[in-house]
Amino acid sequence: MEKSRVNEVLLRNVQLLSKQSEREMEMMPAGSAPLPSVEEVKRLVGVIKSIIFTDYLYKRQPEEQMRSHYIGVGMEELYDLLWRQIARGLQFCEECREEDVMESAEQMALDFIDQLPEIKRLIYTDVEAMFQNDPAATNYGEVIYCYPVVNTMTHYRIAHVLHGMNVPVIPRIITEQAHSKTGIDIHPGAQIGEYFAIDHGTGVVIGETAIIGSHVTLYQGVTLGAKNFKYDAEGNMLNVPRHPILEDNVTVYSNASILGRIRIGHDSVIGGNIWLTHDVPPYSRILQSKAVDASFQGGLGI
């Protein structure tokens, strides 16, 4: 094909695609400042992981002075990445004044870093819970290196803090990066206590307003979702509590769907493949009915 023909097609479509439609303009935040970078957000989460799991992700450093050096280097990089990405996320904040964005982002980055010790503590309780819940785990290193729940909960606990600080967009980027890698979908707005375990994990969904206590274990395919949605007088969807509350020491087995703003009492067990839309008192055991044995003879089928 002639080069001129190729250039003609390319140039025509470049010109068409360079023009922003009204719908496209409506979806874009005001101003011309840079928007969040998915790759840089991924990098900042990686830096946080290296701070939390220093001995696992760097050369092991038994001396506190050497550990402080590596963590200090990571902390400086984290602060620089974090305030810049927060500032970019604040472009989506309609109430924020453009002249205040930089200062707000820097303060938010420092506020987040002040919460890193607690984030680290919570993540190590999740490691402990997973190790204690899975007899296949031979040591803590195996859990940290290999188990998807550790990756997911690290992303979630980082994102949850940023979400609580009202940082737009960035928390969802962080949790969706874990979702795409592990198949575990946790909204950063969900509230999850300490010692949380998800065995296997693929297909788990935890909605925005879910509240989960401590020492809770979920298995693959569990959904903590909404049963329906509420609307205002103008037909706009309301963001109200609509996901379940799981109290302490609850276990939910594979492919159970727990829907709506219901409460699962402490020390309860929800069996696999259960569809649950009502409250459950403490110490409950919710199981499927026994299968009916409908055996047949003579090759007549069922």
Side-chain angles (χ1 to χ4, degrees):
M1 183 178 292
E2 293 183 2
K3 184 66 174 177
S4 60
R5 170 59 180 160
V6 173
N7 289 339
E8 178 190 345
V9 172
L10 296 181
L11 181 59
R12 182 175 69 251
N13 285 282
V14 166
Q15 291 173 341
L16 289 172
L17 292 168
S18 297
K19 298 176 182 178
Q20 290 183 312
S21 66
E22 289 185 10
R23 178 59 59 84
E24 188 177 355
M25 292 291 289
E26 290 174 359
M27 293 182 177
M28 289 291 291
S32 58
L35 298 181
S37 165
V38 172
E39 287 304 313
E40 288 197 15
V41 171
K42 183 178 181 180
R43 173 60 188 162
L44 78 83
V45 173
V47 172
I48 294 173
K49 288 178 180 178
S50 73
I51 291 171
I52 291 173
F53 299 112
T54 305
D55 291 328
Y56 286 93
L57 301 180
Y58 279 136
K59 182 179 179 181
R60 192 171 186 182
Q61 300 293 343
E63 295 184 7
E64 184 175 339
Q65 186 175 359
M66 291 303 297
R67 287 169 55 84
S68 296
H69 167 74
Y70 281 104
I71 292 174
V73 170
M75 197 71 77
E76 287 190 4
E77 182 181 4
L78 171 61
Y79 172 71
D80 189 58
L81 286 166
L82 189 57
W83 79 258
R84 292 180 188 276
Q85 291 308 307
I86 290 175
R88 294 185 177 195
L90 289 174
Q91 301 300 317
F92 293 91
C93 174
E94 295 181 359
E95 297 81 19
C96 298
R97 297 193 308 170
E98 189 172 352
E99 58 269 26
D100 297 334
V101 163
M102 198 73 69
E103 184 176 351
S104 296
E106 291 174 343
Q107 184 59 54
M108 285 180 170
L110 292 176
D111 292 343
F112 174 87
I113 289 170
D114 269 339
Q115 297 190 61
L116 264 181
E118 176 63 9
I119 292 173
K120 177 180 178 179
R121 186 192 73 81
L122 287 169
I123 290 170
Y124 273 88
T125 70
D126 300 329
V127 173
E128 174 75 20
M130 197 64 253
F131 179 76
Q132 296 297 336
N133 275 279
D134 189 2
T138 57
N139 54 69
Y140 291 109
E142 182 179 358
V143 174
I144 291 170
Y145 280 126
C146 306
Y147 280 51
V149 64
V150 176
N151 184 66
T152 299
M153 291 306 293
T154 302
H155 281 74
Y156 158 75
R157 295 209 184 274
I158 293 167
H160 181 68
V161 170
L162 292 171
H163 183 272
M165 295 164 57
N166 296 317
V167 176
V169 181
I170 305 299
R172 289 300 300 271
I173 293 175
I174 292 172
T175 53
E176 287 305 317
Q177 287 176 344
H179 180 200
S180 64
K181 186 174 182 179
T182 66
I184 302 171
D185 182 4
I186 305 178
H187 192 286
Q191 300 177 45
I192 301 178
E194 58 189 14
Y195 295 96
F196 181 64
I198 305 176
D199 202 1
H200 306 294
T202 306
V204 167
V205 176
I206 301 175
E208 177 188 14
T209 63
I211 300 175
I212 299 174
S214 297
H215 299 277
V216 170
T217 299
L218 309 182
Y219 286 80
Q220 68 272 17
V222 168
T223 296
L224 305 182
K227 185 171 67 172
N228 50 43
F229 303 101
K230 294 183 178 180
Y231 299 85
D232 63 18
E234 298 178 354
N236 299 310
M237 192 177 295
L238 296 173
N239 189 4
V240 296
R242 58 196 180 278
H243 299 101
I245 300 171
L246 275 58
E247 296 182 354
D248 296 347
N249 302 306
V250 168
T251 298
V252 185
Y253 283 96
S254 58
N255 299 312
S257 293
I258 304 176
L259 306 179
R261 193 59 163 186
I262 63 174
R263 182 179 294 270
I264 308 302
H266 62 82
D267 297 279
S268 292
V269 175
I270 309 301
N273 297 303
I274 294 293
W275 178 276
L276 192 59
T277 58
H278 59 80
D279 289 348
V280 169
Y283 300 103
S284 295
R285 298 292 183 269
I286 308 298
L287 306 174
Q288 285 186 341
S289 301
K290 290 185 178 181
V292 177
D293 183 1
S295 57
F296 60 91
Q297 297 177 348
L300 298 177
I302 58 174

